[in-house]
Amino acid sequence: MATNMKICTTLYTLVFLFTLCLFSSHAAFSSTPNGSCDTTPYPAFCKTTLPASQYLSIQDQCRFFPQQSLSITKTIFNLVSSYLRDPYTIPHSTVHALEDCLNLSELNSDFLSNVLQAIENTLASYEVYDLQTLLSAILTNQQTCLDGFKEVTPYPIVTNALSSPLSDAIKLYSTSLALFTRGWVSAATTTTGSSTTVETIINRKLLQTSVDDNVVVNPDGSGDFATINDAIHAAPNNTGTNNGYHVIYVVAGIYNEYVSVPKSKQNLMLVGDGINRTVLTGNRSVVDGWTTFQSATFAVVGKGFVAVNITFRNTAGSSKHQAVAVRNGADMSTFYNCSFEGYQDTLYVHSLRQFYKSCDIYGTVDFIFGNAAALLQDCNMYPRLPMQNQFNAITAQGRTDPNQNTGISIQNCCIIAASDLGDATNNYNGIKTYLGRPWKEYSRTVYMQSFIDGLIDPKGWNEWSGDFALSTLYYAEFANWGPGSNTSNRVTWEGYHLIDEKDADDFTVHKFIQGEKWLPQTGVPFKAGLQ
């Protein structure tokens, strides 16, 4: 008996060692420059960038490319800064585009530094998704910089000088993301099981959370501050997202302010008196010389932001084209019982992970757009009456890279016409309305378990330009209902899908935005899964 056990143990050891050798050989082969670079969107660039005289493992490459990315980001920041030192020699609209690039480059430097610091240590599965989110956002930030120059008056002296570093940065960021996805995310995905609480609903009373401070904004002077901007400016810096919320209560009123929550203001909670009672309003637009990025009435990048019971409005109107009410680039951010009102480009879900619960969104062309991992749950989308010869597109998702963990997920929502669009009796004023169209090549949007009224065109989705992105996008529908949910005449694009429950689960709170990790502390109710 003992002899047999010894033989079995020896055989097991030999099999284990043989398997380990096979795995090690495969790993060595696949992490050569040719093997790893061929899995990136820019294989030739990847191969020529890697040092030819030095072998780098896949993990070493995952460190090498972010280091190169950080270097070129600093180069871009310095170059843009040099132009902004004398802005009066540059067209005003170009100055806005440069300002966008400067701010976004600064964010990218922070994100890359965080990534490089984190990958020096063993990563838990949730940390892997955090870093993939940062690397995805870095690409988005750079693309936003490029897009800004397309919206403004051409100024070749600036654009020609920036062309090469901006292009190289996109390739470095994309390669960094691809290698990280292959080296870490794939392993985390295979070892992480599904949530054990996907069918629970967290429904605690809002503000039964740790509150660090509470101040009041009232324009009549009876509060701590007369403006929202003053209250945000006075909020503590860099408190982290585990130290309780700094709560700013904004009493009912109309606030004509352009508000920005910077990266230093973390865990800020803005609480109003209700939709259409506490209203933040502005009217900036691209037609009036702003970039889309800067047209926002309200903009936030501070991690852990929460807004409750507020209306955010851009009153520029449909004739002014892109005019953003809210631009959100804050990771782990939440909007609860809020309203977003505008026409084209109302809600800019710019980057990182976002959750919207029981909100109203009004608009016309591409009125929910951007490249965050954004999940909207129990919200109402109200397409409005657009300009003559325009159509409505509810979403225009901006994923530019197949490795980005971004998209727009719409769950348990209600899509009905705003009052000015009309109803079925007048054929919605003859306006065609679509679920979305592909702003960027890998656009990704999912509608699931939602009511879709008859205003949605039977084809469901619309092209952006010819056959652009129709084979690379990912558009999907699951278990929707209502007159506009009939999929029998939907588009037949390669990238369009009718998905089952298993695939739909990938776009729920617990998987798509890892919401069970951070939403409970907000006190905002959410459903983690499909049930």
Side-chain angles (χ1 to χ4, degrees), residues 181-239:
T181 301
R182 185 163 175 261
W184 270 283
V185 177
S186 298
T189 301
T190 57
T191 58
T192 302
S194 61
S195 167
T196 58
T197 57
V198 295
E199 294 185 356
T200 64
I201 298 177
I202 307 298
N203 193 1
R204 297 184 293 127
K205 184 179 179 182
L206 192 69
L207 298 185
Q208 282 183 345
T209 54
S210 175
V211 175
D212 176 63
D213 200 0
N214 196 335
V215 299
V216 176
V217 176
N218 194 329
D220 70 6
S222 64
D224 300 287
F225 301 96
T227 70
I228 300 172
N229 273 311
D230 287 344
I232 290 172
H233 180 74
N237 290 329
N238 302 315
T239 58

Side-chain angles (χ1 to χ4, degrees), residues 168-488:
D168 286 348
I170 287 284
K171 295 172 185 176
L172 283 168
Y173 300 158
S174 176
T175 303
S176 298
L177 174 60
L179 294 174
F180 182 83
T181 301
R182 185 163 175 261
W184 270 283
V185 177
S186 298
T189 301
T190 57
T191 58
T192 302
S194 61
S195 167
T196 58
T197 57
V198 295
E199 294 185 356
T200 64
I201 298 177
I202 307 298
N203 193 1
R204 297 184 293 127
K205 184 179 179 182
L206 192 69
L207 298 185
Q208 282 183 345
T209 54
S210 175
V211 175
D212 176 63
D213 200 0
N214 196 335
V215 299
V216 176
V217 176
N218 194 329
D220 70 6
S222 64
D224 300 287
F225 301 96
T227 70
I228 300 172
N229 273 311
D230 287 344
I232 290 172
H233 180 74
N237 290 329
N238 302 315
T239 58
T241 53
N242 295 312
N243 298 323
Y245 289 98
H246 178 81
V247 179
I248 300 173
Y249 168 56
V250 186
V251 303
I254 305 295
Y255 294 82
N256 289 283
E257 298 184 54
Y258 294 97
V259 176
S260 179
V261 180
K263 65 179 181 179
S264 61
K265 306 296 182 179
Q266 299 180 12
N267 249 30
L268 197 67
M269 183 179 284
L270 205 63
V271 180
D273 271 329
I275 290 175
N276 291 331
R277 297 195 67 219
T278 298
V279 179
L280 182 60
T281 184
N283 63 0
R284 288 176 178 171
S285 70
V286 168
V287 169
D288 287 335
W290 302 92
T291 60
T292 299
F293 191 79
Q294 286 195 24
S295 71
T297 301
F298 181 86
V300 55
V301 293
K303 185 177 180 181
F305 176 79
V306 181
V308 185
N309 297 340
I310 299 174
T311 290
F312 301 91
R313 186 177 289 164
N314 190 311
T315 61
S318 58
S319 63
K320 294 298 181 75
H321 298 286
Q322 297 97 326
V324 174
V326 167
R327 185 189 81 235
N328 186 2
D331 197 22
M332 302 182 187
S333 55
T334 306
F335 286 77
Y336 177 46
N337 195 33
C338 290
S339 182
F340 308 88
E341 299 178 9
Y343 288 85
Q344 183 170 345
D345 290 4
T346 302
L347 175 58
Y348 194 172
V349 291
H350 182 261
S351 55
L352 301 165
R353 289 165 292 193
Q354 310 177 9
F355 182 65
Y356 300 82
K357 177 73 173 185
S358 302
C359 292
D360 298 335
I361 307 102
Y362 296 81
T364 56
V365 181
D366 308 333
F367 67 91
I368 304 171
F369 77 110
N371 196 24
L375 198 148
L376 294 85
Q377 193 173 88
D378 298 324
C379 293
N380 300 308
M381 289 82 173
Y382 295 106
R384 307 175 82 166
L385 184 67
M387 292 174 62
Q388 191 173 1
N389 299 321
Q390 282 187 332
F391 59 84
N392 289 330
I394 296 174
T395 65
Q397 206 281 326
R399 188 165 168 252
T400 61
D401 190 286
N403 292 302
Q404 287 179 308
N405 59 354
T406 55
I408 296 173
S409 177
I410 295 172
Q411 181 187 18
N412 287 336
C413 291
C414 186
I415 295 94
I416 57 177
S419 58
D420 61 346
L421 186 60
D423 54 31
T425 60
N426 70 345
N427 192 31
Y428 303 100
N429 277 295
I431 300 299
K432 289 183 178 293
T433 298
Y434 301 96
L435 297 173
R437 60 176 185 153
W439 181 28
K440 303 294 183 183
E441 188 173 2
Y442 294 94
S443 182
R444 181 161 66 172
T445 302
V446 176
Y447 285 80
M448 52 192 188
Q449 301 174 312
S450 294
F451 174 79
I452 303 176
D453 209 351
L455 74 162
I456 297 299
D457 189 87
K459 66 182 285 190
W461 308 79
N462 199 29
E463 300 81 0
W464 185 272
S465 178
D467 61 358
F468 169 74
L470 302 188
S471 62
T472 51
L473 59 78
Y474 184 92
Y475 286 166
E477 297 181 56
F478 168 74
N480 298 308
W481 56 290
S485 67
N486 188 326
T487 60
S488 59

